[in-house]
Structure formats: C-alpha cells, structure tokens
C-alpha cells in the first residue's frame, strides 16, 4: 500500500510538474486518501500475502501503514549496521580467522512476497546472504561470512527479521 | 564553506569510503561467497552516500526525489544480484574457501536440473 501511495504521489507531482514541498504534502495526503477509500475494492496480493484473506478496513490500513514505516526504518538501520559490520571484517580480521558457512533456516513465512522481503532483508543485513529457498519453501539457505554459532544466527534471523516480516506479509 | 557544502562532502566521503572498502574486500576475502558480502553490502551504503550527496548538493526536491527513488531501486535490486551470484556459483560448483566450517546445502541440489530438493 505504501508503495501505491508513493507511486500516486510521484504521479501527482509529475502531473503538477512542480516539485515543491507543499506539492509533496498535498500529493501524499491525496494519495493516502485515495488508497484508503479504494482499498476495499483493491485486492492487492502484496497486502494480504496472496491468500485473499482480508479485506482491509481503514483502521487496519492505518495500522499497517505505521507498521510498514517502522519496518522500513528498521530495514534501513539494519543496512547501516551491516555495512559497518562488513567494513570491520574487511579491515580488521585476518582472512584465515573468518569461518564462512552455509546455514539452513526453517521458514515460517508462507507468501511469495514475504519470502522475497525476508530474503532481501537477510542479504542486506550483517554477515548473511540468502542463497536459495528449498522447492517446498520450508527452508531458506543462507551464506554466513563468519559462523561463530550457527544456532545463534538462526535464532537472530527468526526473532528479529522473520517475526517482523510475518506481521506484514504472513 | 556553507553547511550544504560540508554536508555534501561528508556524505560523498562516507559513500566513497564504503565503496573503497568493498574494493578491498574483493581483493582480501578468500572466495566468491565471501566477496559477495563485500560488494553486496558495502556497495549499497557507498552508492547511498554518493546519491544523497548529489541530492544535498542540488538542494531541490526534484533532485532529491530522483535520488531517493534511485536509492530505493538499488536497495531492492542489489540483494537479488547477490543472491543470484551466490546461487549460480553454488550450482556450478565454485570452490569454497578452505576455512568454510559448515555447509547445510551439501547434497541437497539436483545438479542435473538445477533444482533444490526439499
């Protein structure tokens, strides 16, 4: 939804062909209102995980919006941490000391969109890159640049990332 | 120097430093899989820093909107590239560094078909 709001805002500003701050604010407000009003009639697979589960009422919509914003903030923060982490490994660790490995992590997220977001998040965050998802979509395999404790890595991803993704895209 | 100039320089410097680190990582790390970590991650912050510097330098919303869109697209696509590189490497049997400690994927691939057994 938030993607839709941003797209509508950009379209709004392009059509106004003026990119001032008031235009941005008005555009955001108008787009938000349009999506809020139209959400009942839209079956956006991205919002209900493709399960056709819920039609969203406006309160739910507002709550999801807040959650998405929080999620994007969390993702950006994780990306910053990841960069510093990799920089530290590149600069200060002796190559012979790092312990790379491939770890299997059981998946609870079911939807395509959810798995995609989780896989992207894993890649963008400290020391891990998603490698593949099993055909039955129950397991995701990640490459970890420095495995000190495979169990801890697994728990960290399940608790921190998957839980957040689950809330948005089950 | 104005505040804008200082901010531009700072952001560009952060960006360039992280891209430089990605380059060092390319040279220093032992195998393809670990190198993907360096380019896939340090690269993202590098690009973000430089693009933000461009946005601040121009100081208008048109430039800022374009740069933010670029950053968003980059953050969406960079992990996909990293993932595809790793997967292709694993499927074609690219050697892992000798210090690799764990491989939960071993024997899980149907190499003929390039499919992952469950």
């Amino acid at each position: 939804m938030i993607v839709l709001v941003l797209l509508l805002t950009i379209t709004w500003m392009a059509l106004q062909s003026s990119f001032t701050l008031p235009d941005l604010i008005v555009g955001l407000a108008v787009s938000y209102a349009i999506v809020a009003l139209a959400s009942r009639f839209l079956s956006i697979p991205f919002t209900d995980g493709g399960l056709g589960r819920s039609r969203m009422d406006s309160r739910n919509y507002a709550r999801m919006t807040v959650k998405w914003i929080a999620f994007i903030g969390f993702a950006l923060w994780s990306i910053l941490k990841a960069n510093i982490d990799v920089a530290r490994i590149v600069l200060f660790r002796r190559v012979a000391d790092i312990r790379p490995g491939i770890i299997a992590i059981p998946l609870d997220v079911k939807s395509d969109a959810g798995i995609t977001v989780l896989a992207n998040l894993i890649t963008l965050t400290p020391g891990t890159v998603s490698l593949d998802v099993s055909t039955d979509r129950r397991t995701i395999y990640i490459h970890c640049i420095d495995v000190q404790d495979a169990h801890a890595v697994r728990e960290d991803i399940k608790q921190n990332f998957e839980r957040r993704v689950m809330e948005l895209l089950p | 120097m104005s505040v804008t100039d200082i901010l531009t320089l700072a952001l560009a410097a952060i960006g360039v430093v992280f891209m430089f680190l990605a380059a060092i990582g390319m040279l220093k790390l032992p195998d393809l899989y670990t190198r993907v970590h360096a380019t896939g991650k340090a690269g993202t912050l590098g690009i973000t820093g430089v693009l933000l510097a461009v946005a601040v330098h121009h100081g208008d919303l048109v430039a800022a909107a374009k740069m933010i869109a670029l950053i968003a697209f980059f953050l969406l696509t960079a992990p996909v590239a990293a993932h595809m590189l790793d997967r292709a490497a694993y499927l074609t049997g690219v050697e892992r560094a000798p210090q690799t400690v764990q491989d939960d994927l071993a024997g899980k691939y149907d190499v003929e078909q390039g499919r992952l057994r469950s």
Side-chain angles (χ1 to χ4, degrees):
Chain A
M1 303 157 293
I2 202 154
V3 179
L4 202 56
V5 171
L6 290 178
L7 276 176
L8 283 172
T9 308
I10 290 169
T11 313
W12 169 274
M13 290 168 84
L15 288 175
Q16 299 269 343
S17 67
S18 86
F19 292 86
T20 58
L21 193 58
D23 266 318
L24 176 69
I25 293 165
V26 175
L28 273 177
V30 172
S31 312
Y32 191 93
I34 290 173
V35 176
L37 287 173
S39 65
R40 226 147 37 99
F41 308 105
L42 298 170
S43 60
I44 314 167
F46 206 75
T47 53
D48 62 16
L51 302 172
R53 191 172 38 82
S54 60
R55 266 191 345 190
M56 284 182 304
D57 55 48
S58 54
R59 214 180 47 204
N60 198 1
Y61 173 62
R63 216 185 55 218
M64 290 299 273
T65 307
V66 172
K67 276 193 178 166
W68 269 106
I69 291 170
F71 180 76
I72 290 170
F74 167 76
L76 291 177
W77 171 243
S78 304
I79 290 167
L80 195 67
K81 271 200 314 202
N83 278 281
I84 294 166
D85 215 56
V86 170
R88 242 188 21 233
I89 289 179
V90 167
L91 283 178
F92 302 121
R93 291 286 291 276
R94 287 183 38 233
V95 171
D97 290 344
I98 62 169
R99 294 278 172 269
I102 295 168
I103 301 175
I105 295 175
L107 274 177
D108 290 323
V109 177
K110 293 279 175 278
S111 62
D112 283 347
I115 293 175
T116 310
V117 170
L118 181 65
N120 267 16
L121 195 61
I122 287 172
T123 298
L124 284 171
T125 48
T128 49
V129 170
S130 326
L131 220 156
D132 209 345
V133 176
S134 68
T135 314
D136 64 4
R137 305 204 285 173
R138 291 226 185 95
T139 320
I140 188 166
Y141 294 90
I142 64 169
H143 184 272
C144 194
I145 197 171
D146 194 26
V147 189
Q148 299 297 345
D149 178 357
H151 186 68
V153 174
R154 223 171 260 140
E155 281 305 303
D156 184 43
I157 285 177
K158 288 206 82 73
Q159 296 302 322
N160 282 328
F161 298 158
E162 197 177 22
R163 191 175 49 78
R164 282 170 210 261
V165 174
M166 277 289 262
E167 285 181 355
L168 295 166
L169 308 159
Chain B
M1 256 193 336
S2 67
V3 182
T4 321
D5 286 343
I6 296 170
L7 198 57
T8 306
L9 272 180
L11 284 169
I14 291 172
V16 171
V17 164
F18 274 97
M19 281 198 246
F20 181 59
L21 287 174
I24 297 179
M26 272 307 267
L27 293 170
K28 191 176 164 187
L29 292 170
D31 63 359
L32 183 141
Y33 305 95
T34 47
R35 283 176 179 149
V36 166
H37 284 271
T39 53
K41 294 201 186 105
T44 54
L45 199 60
I47 302 250
T48 306
V50 171
L51 291 180
L52 282 180
V54 173
V56 171
H57 177 73
H58 283 280
D60 62 280
L61 263 166
V62 185
K66 281 181 189 159
M67 292 312 134
I68 288 169
L70 276 179
I71 292 168
F73 287 130
F74 194 78
L75 290 184
L76 283 174
T77 52
V80 180
H83 154 67
M84 287 317 286
L85 271 175
D86 258 10
R87 186 173 182 274
Y90 198 95
L91 270 174
T92 49
V94 172
E95 288 283 312
R96 268 146 290 142
Q99 57 265 54
T100 302
V101 287
Q102 186 172 4
D103 184 2
D104 288 352
L105 255 182
K108 289 277 171 66
Y109 267 112
D110 186 342
V111 181
E112 306 266 292
Q113 299 187 347
R115 276 169 63 89
L116 183 55
R117 281 189 286 268
S118 46

